[in-house]
Amino acid sequence: MPRDWIDSDTARALLNPDDRRRLERYVLADAGAGVDIFGVSREALGRGLAAGRFVHRHVLRVRSGGHAHLPPAGGGLIAMVGRLPNAAQLMSLIVDVFVGASTPRLVRTLIDERWTAAPYAGNLARELGQVPNLVSNAESLLSAGHLLGIPIQDLEEVGYDPAGAGMLSSIQGSFTLASCLDWARRHGVPVVPAVLSVSSAPEGPSAPPSASLRARSSAFGRRALERALFGASHGARGRRLEIAYASPIRVVGADGRDRSSDSVRTSEELRRALRRAVAQHSPSATDQAADGPAAPDGSDAHG
Amino acid sequence: MGDALTSEQPWFGTPREGRRRVLVSGVHRKVAGEFVSRLVADPEVEFVVGVSHGTCPPPLLNLDPDRFLMTTADLSRRDQVENLFMLDRLREANFDTVVHLAFQGNPKGYSVRRHEFNVNSTRWLLDGCLRRAVGKFIYLSTDAVYEVGPRSASQVREDADVNFDPQAHPIVRDTVDAEFSCRAKMDHDHCEIVVLRPSGVLGGGVLSGLNLLMESRPPLLPVGYDPLINPTSKQRLGRDLHLAATLRGKGLFNVAGPVVATLEGFMEARGISPQRVPGPLLTAAGRVQRAAGRSRYNQAFHPGRLFYSLVLDDARFDRCFRVPGSERVDRFGVDPVQSAIEGKRRVPTSFADAG
């Protein structure tokens, strides 16, 4: 059965002690039989984390920062901007939040019917907290106090890159700024921009020949593996995924609460706020910090 | 959820006035045994009349004859339904609650006559209730009316898509027809009409899809799918029916069990080992299994059920009827009705014992 796609003991052995501790600290809202009402179990999460950690660390080689901006409890919208994530990038973002946030939290996303209808893949996605792409599911997740990750599709002018969307390209149909604003307003949750970008290849006059060769050879295997696993590669050889979590954007609630000066109330204001976040964490800025451990906003970095 | 479903009235969940005089149709159903036992044990119930097409079912034989009366009627015939409201017992006061459990849900041998029974019995009973100012009418529907597929909601609320597929099984269409007869009258001034959609009901001898599946030898499941379910039990459903009959409230409600788990998880907990077959072959394999007498579960009845999750969200029923600390609960203490039932009957201690 799909629950046994990785043996529990093997999965635990693949996790490092810190990840195992995080897994134990994860608060599962048990619905009576070891799974929550969306189907997530701690065992499945351990197996998913073991596989996702490998992709996160060795395939996409994620570098991230700004985890302090993620809400430690309660609902929240993780607005993925800057780049439309493919399956591997989405998985890496979920793992990154789980292992990077102060409290281990699972980002839930709305996935396409092709995944939920498929044998094994549907079970697997559900056990890892991903739900069918329905507005009612999004509202159920937010009202239950979960983190909902949504790719924002109408930010073309601020770095939206449809290339490389891969197998998940059709899931973003309903995720517009308007729906993001509406959900945030009605459920009173913050919008945390997760700026995704891919670092430039370490080639060029400044890169030593040996580094270029190493990147070229390792990238060949990585891209082949990525294509085999996820149907798409996230970029050219030698690149790595960068994720920066920007400051949360507060939305004026339906009852008028949270009327602070930096709260947004219209789609246009939200667009500007997201645009600022993307500009602040643009690929050029991250390139400058590529060799340094510091994250774009100075907080902790993982990868 | 739509506004119509969330705008519960403040009087929802308050006890109904007076003592109950209840008509229960379909008492041969297993859940009816639980429900009628609870009613008879409830001091707020004056008497209960059970209707069936046959003799009194064994679980109800030992009930107090002053409080429980068994009668026979063909509910598909309007004159016989009318006669139910003119029993000698009703000379002083008519029924104030009608609970309609009668439904011929066996796909084997389905015919036009069964269709007429399923739809017309609901219509005639409801019509009789409305004309005689009966205070409450409860119709027990099923979760098979929900459309199940890869795009289903993780938690199915009452306003989820109903299966209007013309290719759906005729029994499912009968249920939808009967349910819509009730929903069309739901705004009636005097009669509170309640439609309950239970998730799969587990319990010995229960003829629900999930229970028949679990009683198959072995249960056949599709390869690669393990849907989430939250089935209820006949005891819990009997209690929910009792609450719906004795407390005020009307509308459409899901009722479900408290535990959410995978289908295989429920089977493992009961020591049942399913047999996996490729999804496209499931219906054919089930047909062979039924022909061999190893199962009574029909996969064609609710095709997506074994593939995709169906977790009913019964928060609305909780809000309206299962309110802890409400007036009714205070008055009855912990659960005196359950205590009375358990005092008279052996309490099932395991799944094998249940029923």
Side-chain angles (χ1 to χ4, degrees), chain A residues 152-214:
Chain A
I152 303 293
Q153 69 161 3
D154 48 356
L155 277 179
E156 290 86 346
E157 67 273 29
V158 291
Y160 169 72
D161 176 17
M167 290 174 70
L168 294 188
S169 59
S170 68
I171 71 168
Q172 289 85 7
S174 58
F175 303 141
T176 60
L177 277 175
S179 59
C180 181
L181 185 76
D182 182 47
W183 289 337
R185 178 185 291 132
R186 283 195 288 122
H187 294 278
V189 297
V191 179
V192 181
V195 184
L196 278 73
S197 56
V198 176
S199 68
S200 302
E203 294 175 283
S206 60
S210 59
S212 173
L213 188 63
R214 217 168 31 241

Side-chain angles (χ1 to χ4, degrees), chain A:
Chain A
M1 271 312 297
R3 289 208 300 275
D4 303 319
W5 56 279
I6 298 180
D7 178 61
S8 270
D9 296 335
T10 310
R12 293 183 72 79
L14 287 172
L15 293 173
N16 63 38
D18 185 46
D19 291 347
R20 277 202 291 271
R21 276 193 295 275
R22 287 195 151 260
L23 196 60
E24 297 304 324
R25 281 174 55 207
Y26 177 70
V27 180
L28 182 78
D30 192 347
V35 297
D36 71 6
I37 54 173
F38 299 98
V40 176
S41 69
R42 201 178 296 279
E43 288 73 25
L45 212 51
R47 298 183 189 108
L49 188 59
R53 197 66 159 126
F54 177 80
V55 175
H56 176 266
R57 183 176 288 163
H58 300 294
V59 179
L60 299 191
R61 302 179 298 148
V62 174
R63 189 164 50 196
S64 60
H67 298 88
H69 296 310
L70 295 165
L77 276 163
I78 308 295
M80 298 172 224
V81 290
R83 181 182 177 83
L84 199 60
N86 63 22
Q89 292 167 342
L90 193 61
M91 180 191 282
S92 297
L93 180 122
I94 293 167
V95 170
D96 193 68
V97 171
F98 195 88
V99 301
S102 58
T103 308
R105 303 207 60 189
L106 184 61
V107 177
R108 323 264 179 148
T109 61
L110 308 178
I111 59 171
D112 188 63
E113 184 179 342
R114 284 178 296 174
W115 286 63
T116 54
Y120 295 110
N123 279 357
L124 189 57
R126 187 195 66 217
E127 289 179 344
L128 300 178
Q130 316 310 307
V131 297
N133 183 8
L134 276 182
V135 171
S136 64
N137 281 344
E139 295 182 346
S140 294
L141 288 167
L142 289 173
S143 59
H146 293 294
L147 290 180
L148 174 64
I150 57 171
I152 303 293
Q153 69 161 3
D154 48 356
L155 277 179
E156 290 86 346
E157 67 273 29
V158 291
Y160 169 72
D161 176 17
M167 290 174 70
L168 294 188
S169 59
S170 68
I171 71 168
Q172 289 85 7
S174 58
F175 303 141
T176 60
L177 277 175
S179 59
C180 181
L181 185 76
D182 182 47
W183 289 337
R185 178 185 291 132
R186 283 195 288 122
H187 294 278
V189 297
V191 179
V192 181
V195 184
L196 278 73
S197 56
V198 176
S199 68
S200 302
E203 294 175 283
S206 60
S210 59
S212 173
L213 188 63
R214 217 168 31 241
R216 201 183 294 265
S217 56
S218 67
F220 176 76
R222 177 179 57 76
R223 291 171 65 194
L225 180 64
E226 201 179 329
R227 283 216 168 85
L229 286 175
F230 308 110
S233 173
H234 82 289
R237 57 182 174 265
R239 292 185 171 187
R240 63 167 69 213
L241 179 67
E242 312 238 2
I243 305 173
Y245 305 98
S247 304
I249 301 166
R250 303 282 166 190
V251 175
V252 176
D255 54 356
R257 63 182 183 275
D258 203 353
R259 286 181 176 277
S260 53
S261 58
D262 57 345
S263 296
V264 302
R265 61 179 69 228
T266 64
S267 294
E268 192 49 45
E269 289 175 2
L270 180 60
R271 183 192 303 274
R272 279 201 293 271
L274 290 172
R275 194 180 293 163
R276 275 198 300 276
V278 174
Q280 190 182 352
H281 304 284
S282 63
S284 58
T286 54
D287 281 349
Q288 290 170 6
D291 295 328
D297 62 350
S299 57
D300 54 332
H302 292 264

Side-chain angles (χ1 to χ4, degrees), chain B residues 40 56-65 68 344-345:
Chain B
V40 172
C56 184
L60 306 179
L61 284 174
N62 295 327
L63 295 180
D64 181 1
F68 177 69
K344 290 178 183 174
R345 293 171 33 208

Side-chain angles (χ1 to χ4, degrees), chain A residues 1-3 31-33 35-39 113 116-121 123 126 131-134 136-137 139-140 143, chain B residues 1 149-155 157 222-228 258-262 264-265 268 276 307-309 311:
Chain A
M1 271 312 297
R3 289 208 300 275
V35 297
D36 71 6
I37 54 173
F38 299 98
E113 184 179 342
T116 54
Y120 295 110
N123 279 357
R126 187 195 66 217
V131 297
N133 183 8
L134 276 182
S136 64
N137 281 344
E139 295 182 346
S140 294
S143 59
Chain B
M1 198 185 295
R151 282 181 62 84
S152 296
S154 297
Q155 287 182 285
R157 301 193 185 107
V223 172
Y225 295 90
D226 196 11
L228 281 180
V259 176
V260 179
T262 59
E264 192 172 354
E268 281 173 6
R276 295 272 171 186
F307 292 83
Y308 305 111
S309 299
V311 177

Side-chain angles (χ1 to χ4, degrees), chain B residues 274-327:
Chain B
Q275 177 69 45
R276 295 272 171 186
V277 297
L281 301 179
L282 187 65
T283 306
R287 199 175 297 131
V288 171
Q289 197 184 28
R290 284 198 304 280
R294 309 284 292 179
S295 172
R296 289 190 292 166
Y297 179 70
N298 190 337
Q299 285 83 359
F301 182 69
H302 203 189
R305 188 67 197 262
L306 302 184
F307 292 83
Y308 305 111
S309 299
L310 180 59
V311 177
L312 297 193
D313 180 0
D314 62 348
R316 186 169 183 244
F317 190 86
D318 274 346
R319 280 199 305 274
C320 291
F321 295 113
R322 295 188 197 127
V323 185
S326 71
E327 192 179 343

Side-chain angles (χ1 to χ4, degrees), chain B residues 54-345:
Chain B
T55 55
C56 184
L60 306 179
L61 284 174
N62 295 327
L63 295 180
D64 181 1
D66 289 337
R67 308 197 65 208
F68 177 69
L69 171 69
M70 181 71 199
T71 185
T72 304
D74 180 359
L75 298 179
S76 63
R77 292 181 55 183
R78 187 165 192 165
D79 55 335
Q80 295 198 22
V81 173
E82 291 295 315
N83 287 342
L84 290 175
F85 291 94
M86 291 181 272
L87 294 172
D88 288 345
R89 191 73 184 261
L90 304 174
R91 274 197 297 258
E92 293 177 4
N94 210 329
F95 294 117
D96 68 357
T97 305
V98 171
V99 182
H100 182 36
L101 307 178
F103 195 84
Q104 297 192 346
N106 188 356
K108 191 175 181 181
Y110 182 81
S111 63
V112 175
R113 182 166 168 71
R114 285 195 183 178
H115 163 74
E116 288 178 346
F117 176 89
N118 288 338
V119 178
N120 290 345
S121 61
T122 310
R123 288 175 58 198
W124 306 148
L125 272 174
L126 182 57
D127 189 51
C129 291
L130 300 185
R131 284 192 290 108
R132 289 175 177 80
V134 174
K136 178 158 269 191
F137 179 85
I138 299 174
Y139 174 67
L140 186 64
S141 181
T142 167
D143 63 349
V145 300
Y146 286 118
E147 198 173 63
V148 178
R151 282 181 62 84
S152 296
S154 297
Q155 287 182 285
V156 176
R157 301 193 185 107
E158 288 84 353
D159 59 348
D161 290 342
V162 171
N163 189 356
F164 290 125
D165 184 357
Q167 304 301 320
H169 197 282
I171 291 176
V172 174
R173 284 188 283 156
D174 285 358
T175 313
V176 174
D177 287 349
E179 197 181 277
F180 272 72
S181 297
C182 300
R183 295 177 71 178
K185 310 283 185 186
M186 232 167 229
D187 288 333
H188 194 270
D189 290 338
H190 305 298
C191 185
E192 294 174 1
I193 298 176
V194 175
V195 174
L196 297 182
R197 287 176 177 164
S199 57
V201 184
L202 298 180
V206 175
L207 292 179
S208 75
L210 275 182
N211 201 58
L212 292 180
L213 175 71
M214 293 209 179
E215 289 180 350
S216 303
R217 293 166 296 162
L220 298 181
L221 298 181
V223 172
Y225 295 90
D226 196 11
L228 281 180
I229 54 173
N230 58 341
T232 185
S233 64
K234 61 180 180 183
Q235 291 86 359
R236 185 179 169 92
L237 182 56
R239 195 189 67 193
D240 289 341
L241 280 166
H242 181 220
L243 289 173
T246 52
L247 301 181
R248 295 194 66 191
K250 63 179 184 178
L252 178 64
F253 298 92
N254 287 336
V255 285
V259 176
V260 179
T262 59
L263 181 55
E264 192 172 354
F266 273 102
M267 290 185 176
E268 281 173 6
R270 286 160 175 76
I272 301 170
S273 300
Q275 177 69 45
R276 295 272 171 186
V277 297
L281 301 179
L282 187 65
T283 306
R287 199 175 297 131
V288 171
Q289 197 184 28
R290 284 198 304 280
R294 309 284 292 179
S295 172
R296 289 190 292 166
Y297 179 70
N298 190 337
Q299 285 83 359
F301 182 69
H302 203 189
R305 188 67 197 262
L306 302 184
F307 292 83
Y308 305 111
S309 299
L310 180 59
V311 177
L312 297 193
D313 180 0
D314 62 348
R316 186 169 183 244
F317 190 86
D318 274 346
R319 280 199 305 274
C320 291
F321 295 113
R322 295 188 197 127
V323 185
S326 71
E327 192 179 343
R328 178 181 169 78
V329 173
D330 287 341
R331 191 177 59 186
F332 284 118
V334 178
D335 195 349
V337 177
Q338 186 64 37
S339 304
I341 295 170
E342 289 172 357
K344 290 178 183 174
R345 293 171 33 208

